[in-house]
Amino acid sequence: MNVELSAVDKTYGRIRALDGVSLSLTPGQIIAVLGSNGAGKTTLLRCLAGLIRPDQGEVTYDGRPFSVGDLELRRRMMFLPDFPPHFTSETVLRSLGLVLRIYGADGPDAPERIVHWLRAFDLLHLAEAPVESLSRGQSYKVALLTLLVIDPELWLLDEPLASGMDPRGLSLFKSEARAAAARGRTILYTTQVLEAAERFADRVCILHQGEVRVFETVADLRNRVGETDDGVLASVLNSLHES
Amino acid sequence: MPVLRPDPQLLREVRQRIARNPPPIALTRSLRAHLNRLPALFGNPFVLIVAMAAPPLISAMDPGQRHFAWSVLLFLGIAHVAGILNGHLREHAHLVPFAFLPVPPESVLRTLAVGAIRRIATLSIAGGIGFGIASFRLTEGSNPFLSVVAGLGMAVGFALVATAYCLAAQRSSWLTTPLTLSLPITVLLMISLKSSTWMKAQVTQLLSTHGDLLSALLPAGWVVLPWAALSGHGPWQYLATLIPLGFLAASIPLNLRWTRDTYAFREHILLNLLLETPEGADEELAESVAIAQQRPPSRGETAILDDIADRHFLTSNLSSPDGRIESMVWRWWTPRERIVAEYLRLHWPNWSDRFRLGAIVFAGTIPISVLLGLFLPNWIAVSFIGFAVGALYVLPVSASFTLRPAVLADSHLQLCPIHALPVSLAEVASAQWKATTVRSLIALPLCAATAGLAIGFQGGGYFHGAIIGTQAALIWIAIRPGVTVYRFQAIQRGWMKGFLSKLALAFVVLVLILDLVGLCICALPFAGLAAVAVLLPLNYLALRFTCHLLDRHGVDAINPIQPG
């Protein structure tokens, strides 16, 4: 899915959360969105997910603007907030099943894929546990598992690396995200873990006070900044903060 | 609910923690609970209104009316005390540490019961003293010794009835909601006494003639009537109500034994702690509780894999409706609407059971209306009330598939469900409208017949009554889309800010206002039918406009908290 943001502004009261943001996201990329607290990372993701309406500018998906009633477009993307909503009174399986049916992803191969991901995330023994009884990390695994089963074209994840998942879960997420990017999916995630962003992103997008200051590959950024070792992101963010 | 047993290591740690840190939290909570109970009893707005309004009303009454009024008031008090005491046994602050300690439940019950008995005694003595003083004024001229005995007897009787009622309420869900039952009686009584002249005259006449008989139907009346007999305001035969009072007292040991044998509190406490960290509680302790909350044992990998392979988890919760109404709705829904309906509610709302209950209320309304028509022809309001109560269950007024906010766990943000997952407002409205239509059409013959008979027997005209019943059923079909839009805007904060077409938005608001008017005029025959005809297309347009506005202009589904 080709996603275009053109001069997007979003203001909350006196706070300009996004200021003239223009981005072009092509399929098959993993993009890490970085920035200090309040830089506009989550606002950007919500704009892309259609949860926020830009005050100015436009967001298009393969040339189509977002519309709440355009269910075909909405089924091609999935947004995981830092605390995903769940059907807490249901079991993991039934909660998963309902979301799959809403997305129309309950095809004949769904059971097989679900078993695969439940095993991969070590959740098979909790398949019939109430969602509300899961820990935070397990709960996020269920949400991520749902995304992997549905496999939308656009993944939007808010702080997946700080979701409470164990190292195995994080490793699995990264490997599956790379595989999905290889299949042409677009993965956009926010993070504060700079070291992970340097290694787990095709491009990085650094926001500062609502503006896009960096949108390039880590290698290009290193060349431009003149730093050859790890830590280029930290130094860029520091310089933005000091300026 | 399976019995949960905390881990022994956890128990040891908790005991050590309690030994190191005496539970100021528990003491604080206990004190706060006690302090809160008194204001809850005397600060309850309804109780205050009744207490302030009652004495001047009661003092002006004749004996029959007075006995009934005292019976109702005391019944309110007994019910309230019983409710408080039930809560005392289930929600006392000391139950928290008891949940972790290997203490037998009966020991806990005995400990709490001692406190409960003290409270009963305090409230009874206070009430008895107050009533004894009041009885001096009310029984001027009668034997003062008997008046004092009567007052003290009232205190003992109150304590006895409250205790027996509280214990019996452990076994019966109906008895745990006595306030719900006594509220409408008292409200109707007070409204009738303060309302139009003819209503007041009818009520006062009824109570003058039959007030003592009605008092005998209430447990509190078994205390009031003997007092009346001893105070010289009633025949000695009223002492016969001591017989049922004796039976009530005899039930106490039986109910005590049952309460002791079935007393359980651990699961309740642990579950409460798991769902909500108590105010000021140690977070580490709360986390330990969450860990101690053992899940029901898994059925095993093979059984789970079989279930997954059979696709049971992909079948809808709603796919096996129990009732006929639910079955009809299910058949009418498209596959997509079935999914949306499950997303909104997850389970069926027992429409058929509610319909049966409403039909019973309707069935009771008709003979009551007939009797009233024969003896009290101006009591048409009772027919309306009976019809309205039954209609609450029969018609799609409540228990609908309604939009509820989807809560993002732990984040204090909430989304309208149509934003959380790819579901459209049009789909939601369609599923809701079909369900409403089925329920309304099924209820229509019953509503028409009941309203026709009830209102007809009261002199309002059988045909007109049937028309009123018919339009009461049909109006919900007409305004359902508007209700959906209204619910959407109630969840979707700031929806008006997102729209650029003020004219279209004004139209939607106008339709919602017209819906309210339409509901009100359904009490007028034929006006309601006209309202149905006008509102049905208007509501459809309002819904289409709203969906169009959403699609074209979008809206902020999430609004973060603005800094000051």
Side-chain angles (χ1 to χ4, degrees):
Chain A
M1 179 188 287
N2 288 292
V3 184
E4 292 277 344
L5 290 94
S6 305
V8 168
D9 286 346
K10 184 64 187 177
T11 304
Y12 293 111
R14 289 170 297 179
I15 298 174
R16 206 170 185 83
L18 294 177
D19 189 357
V21 170
S22 294
L23 290 173
S24 181
L25 311 179
T26 51
Q29 285 193 327
I30 299 176
I31 299 151
V33 181
L34 306 157
S36 56
N37 296 130
K41 303 185 297 297
T42 300
T43 304
L44 175 64
L45 244 60
R46 289 173 181 171
C47 249
L48 288 167
L51 294 176
I52 286 177
R53 172 180 164 272
D55 297 330
Q56 297 286 342
E58 194 180 43
V59 182
T60 58
Y61 308 81
D62 287 340
R64 287 155 66 177
F66 181 86
S67 164
V68 175
D70 189 351
L71 297 182
E72 194 270 332
L73 174 62
R74 291 177 66 187
R75 287 193 194 107
R76 294 167 62 194
M77 65 176 78
M78 193 166 188
F79 172 51
L80 285 193
D82 46 356
F83 293 93
H86 283 302
F87 301 104
T88 52
S89 61
E90 294 288 335
T91 63
V92 169
L93 267 181
R94 291 214 68 89
S95 175
L96 174 59
L98 181 54
V99 177
L100 291 184
R101 281 182 283 136
I102 290 173
Y103 268 88
D106 57 334
D109 63 338
E112 185 184 335
R113 292 164 63 202
I114 286 165
V115 170
H116 167 75
W117 290 118
L118 282 172
R119 282 192 199 280
F121 281 106
D122 194 25
L123 291 176
L124 187 60
H125 65 293
L126 294 174
E128 293 180 338
V131 173
E132 61 188 351
S133 69
L134 302 181
S135 68
R136 189 186 160 211
Q138 290 169 334
S139 178
Y140 195 88
K141 281 183 180 178
V142 171
L144 187 58
L145 182 159
T146 309
L147 183 148
L148 290 170
V149 173
I150 294 171
D151 194 24
E153 292 176 44
L154 178 62
W155 298 16
L156 302 166
L157 304 105
D158 198 1
E159 301 282 358
L161 304 182
S163 58
M165 283 197 293
D166 51 28
R168 180 188 160 85
L170 289 171
S171 173
L172 188 58
F173 159 65
K174 290 176 189 172
S175 62
E176 290 307 317
R178 288 197 183 92
R183 293 196 304 273
R185 304 299 191 244
T186 307
I187 293 102
L188 198 81
Y189 73 97
T190 63
T191 186
Q192 300 282 15
V193 185
L194 303 181
E195 295 82 7
E198 287 191 22
R199 293 185 176 85
F200 177 55
D202 298 313
R203 304 183 87 174
V204 293
C205 171
I206 298 179
L207 290 172
H208 183 69
Q209 294 178 344
E211 292 179 3
V212 175
R213 298 300 185 91
V214 170
F215 186 52
E216 52 195 313
T217 65
V218 175
D220 289 344
L221 183 61
R222 283 199 188 107
N223 290 337
R224 183 162 64 80
V225 170
E227 288 197 27
T228 55
D229 54 356
D230 292 347
V232 62
L233 292 177
S235 64
V236 168
L237 283 166
N238 284 336
S239 66
L240 284 171
H241 179 71
E242 285 162 7
S243 67
Chain B
M1 183 67 144
V3 173
L4 300 172
R5 290 180 173 76
D7 181 60
Q9 173 63 26
L10 175 63
L11 276 179
R12 269 193 296 278
E13 287 175 8
V14 171
R15 263 182 252 146
Q16 288 165 2
R17 189 187 297 270
I18 292 174
R20 281 196 303 269
N21 302 298
I25 295 167
L27 288 175
T28 303
R29 287 181 66 178
S30 172
L31 181 63
R32 198 165 58 231
H34 281 293
L35 289 176
N36 284 341
R37 296 292 184 221
L38 280 173
L41 175 62
F42 297 106
N44 180 300
F46 176 75
V47 173
L48 277 177
I49 290 169
V50 170
M52 285 188 298
L57 282 173
I58 294 175
S59 62
M61 294 175 181
D62 62 30
Q65 299 165 0
R66 198 182 306 144
H67 299 158
F68 181 71
W70 278 121
S71 299
V72 168
L73 279 177
L74 276 180
F75 180 60
L76 270 179
I78 288 167
H80 205 91
V81 170
I84 291 173
L85 293 172
N86 264 319
H88 189 84
L89 295 179
R90 304 290 174 187
E91 294 165 4
H92 199 279
H94 290 163
L95 288 175
V96 173
F98 282 144
F100 292 93
L101 300 174
V103 182
E106 54 268 21
S107 301
V108 175
L109 178 64
R110 201 178 309 126
T111 306
L112 296 179
V114 169
I117 289 169
R118 270 195 227 120
R119 288 203 55 125
I120 294 174
T122 306
L123 290 169
S124 303
I125 290 170
I129 291 173
F131 194 80
I133 294 172
S135 71
F136 270 115
R137 291 199 56 193
L138 293 172
T139 60
E140 283 175 8
S142 64
N143 189 318
F145 176 72
L146 282 179
S147 296
V148 170
V149 170
L152 289 175
M154 178 72 79
V156 173
F158 181 85
L160 188 68
V161 176
T163 304
Y165 205 90
C166 172
L167 288 171
Q170 307 282 331
R171 304 181 72 163
S172 166
S173 58
W174 277 107
L175 290 178
T176 55
T177 56
L179 211 57
T180 312
L181 299 175
S182 58
L183 261 174
I185 296 172
T186 313
V187 169
L188 278 174
L189 179 70
M190 298 190 68
I191 289 174
S192 66
L193 292 175
K194 286 291 187 183
S195 64
S196 62
T197 309
W198 65 267
M199 179 72 92
K200 180 177 177 178
Q202 300 295 340
V203 170
T204 50
Q205 181 195 351
L206 181 71
L207 292 180
S208 294
T209 314
H210 304 294
D212 291 345
L213 179 64
L214 292 172
S215 300
L217 298 175
L218 294 170
W222 307 339
V223 180
V224 171
L225 292 177
W227 165 81
L230 289 174
S231 306
H233 284 277
W236 288 103
Q237 288 85 339
Y238 282 0
L239 290 174
T241 53
L242 291 173
I243 296 173
L245 195 62
F247 280 115
L248 195 62
S251 73
I252 292 176
L254 290 169
N255 285 325
L256 264 175
R257 196 174 309 133
W258 184 91
T259 302
R260 189 182 58 231
D261 291 343
T262 60
Y263 189 63
F265 60 92
R266 283 197 177 89
E267 298 85 355
H268 167 74
I269 295 297
L270 288 176
L271 192 62
N272 281 344
L273 285 174
L274 177 66
L275 293 178
E276 187 179 315
T277 303
E279 182 187 319
D282 188 328
E283 285 199 15
E284 198 178 340
L285 176 62
E287 181 70 20
S288 301
V289 170
I291 296 169
Q293 173 79 5
Q294 297 173 13
R295 302 183 189 96
S298 175
R299 288 190 303 139
E301 191 172 303
T302 308
I304 292 172
L305 289 173
D306 287 342
D307 255 3
I308 295 175
D310 291 341
R311 300 174 66 95
H312 285 153
F313 69 103
L314 288 172
T315 57
S316 172
N317 282 333
L318 311 179
S319 61
S320 302
D322 286 335
R324 297 179 74 175
I325 297 176
E326 291 87 339
S327 297
M328 293 175 70
V329 173
W330 179 256
R331 280 199 294 272
W332 195 9
W333 278 335
T334 63
R336 180 66 183 177
E337 286 167 350
R338 291 173 179 175
I339 295 172
V340 170
E342 185 186 359
Y343 176 47
L344 293 178
R345 186 100 187 200
L346 294 180
H347 299 282
W348 285 110
N350 295 326
W351 290 331
S352 295
D353 289 342
R354 295 175 65 85
F355 185 88
R356 276 190 284 275
L357 184 60
I360 291 171
V361 174
F362 276 175
T365 300
I366 293 173
I368 289 174
S369 300
V370 170
L371 285 171
L372 289 174
L374 291 173
F375 300 106
L376 297 166
N378 293 323
W379 281 56
I380 193 170
V382 174
S383 303
F384 269 106
I385 291 171
F387 177 76
V389 171
L392 282 176
Y393 294 96
V394 166
L395 290 174
V397 179
S398 58
S400 300
F401 280 89
T402 187
L403 280 171
R404 299 176 185 196
V407 179
L408 301 181
D410 300 333
S411 68
H412 306 292
L413 292 175
Q414 56 187 38
L415 287 178
C416 182
I418 67 166
H419 297 300
L421 289 174
V423 170
S424 72
L425 186 61
E427 289 175 320
V428 168
S430 176
Q432 290 175 334
W433 186 81
K434 287 183 179 177
T436 297
T437 301
V438 170
R439 292 177 72 191
S440 292
L441 291 178
I442 285 177
L444 193 150
L446 190 62
C447 286
T450 304
L453 289 172
I455 294 172
F457 277 124
Q458 288 291 301
Y462 295 94
F463 181 66
H464 282 177
I467 293 296
I468 289 173
T470 299
Q471 53 198 32
L474 292 177
I475 192 68
W476 298 102
I477 301 176
I479 68 173
R480 182 72 240 186
V483 173
T484 302
V485 170
Y486 176 75
R487 279 296 298 164
F488 168 70
Q489 68 84 29
I491 298 169
Q492 181 57 63
R493 293 178 190 172
W495 76 312
M496 292 187 179
K497 295 179 188 175
F499 298 131
L500 301 180
S501 173
K502 298 287 190 267
L503 196 61
L505 191 60
F507 169 72
V508 173
V509 172
L510 177 64
V511 171
L512 295 180
I513 293 172
L514 288 175
D515 285 348
L516 280 175
V517 173
L519 273 172
C520 295
I521 66 175
C522 273
L524 305 172
F526 302 107
L529 287 178
V532 170
V534 169
L535 289 175
L536 185 58
L538 284 180
N539 273 260
Y540 175 74
L541 284 174
L543 176 67
R544 288 299 299 256
F545 260 124
T546 306
C547 293
H548 172 72
L549 290 173
L550 264 178
D551 289 345
R552 184 167 177 195
H553 301 293
V555 67
D556 285 347
I558 293 180
N559 289 292
I561 298 171
Q562 297 295 315

